[in-house]
Amino acid sequence: MAEAVSTRIPKELEEGVEEFMRAEKLEKSAAVRKLLWTGLQEWRQRRALELLERGEVTFTKASEIAGLDVWSFSDLVRRSGITWIKSVEKVKADIKVAAE
């Protein structure tokens, strides 16, 4: 079931949505849904990287938050350049969780 959402956006954002609609050959509602989904996915990935870097979640949990399998997430971590390995014990704990 879909939920209707109504919002006002600035002219510049409307122009960007229209540009996206033309480029992707989408109607407005489909374009807005795709942009929202893409933005949410990117936010989840950024959030997962932040939590991982602060040591608040394990690598496996961060990959779940990001909505990625551990291999795709490991590539994202590598590309981001964050430092997440703080100790050997932390790595061993992450490996144990991933193996379960």
Side-chain angles (χ1 to χ4, degrees):
M1 182 171 171
E3 182 72 28
V5 176
S6 175
T7 187
R8 297 188 186 281
I9 60 173
K11 181 77 172 151
E12 301 82 32
L13 190 54
E14 172 68 18
E15 291 168 357
V17 170
E18 289 173 358
E19 179 183 355
F20 183 76
M21 289 167 52
R22 286 189 299 276
E24 296 292 316
K25 297 177 178 52
L26 295 170
E27 294 180 7
K28 185 178 270 186
S29 60
V32 170
R33 277 192 304 272
K34 188 171 183 177
L35 288 167
L36 281 171
W37 184 251
T38 300
L40 184 57
Q41 287 175 311
E42 289 177 9
W43 175 80
R44 285 178 176 154
Q45 290 174 9
R46 270 195 332 269
R47 176 100 173 113
L49 289 170
E50 290 167 5
L51 293 171
L52 179 66
E53 186 172 34
R54 291 195 307 249
E56 294 180 24
V57 296
T58 65
F59 190 90
T60 304
K61 181 63 178 175
S63 71
E64 290 172 13
I65 292 168
L68 298 171
D69 62 73
V70 291
W71 300 111
S72 298
F73 187 67
S74 67
D75 189 47
L76 178 66
V77 170
R78 182 187 53 77
R79 289 191 322 264
S80 75
I82 67 165
T83 301
W84 65 277
I85 298 175
K86 310 289 192 240
S87 70
V88 174
E89 291 77 26
K90 181 84 171 151
V91 173
K92 287 178 183 179
D94 281 353
I95 291 170
K96 184 177 180 181
V97 168
E100 294 176 348

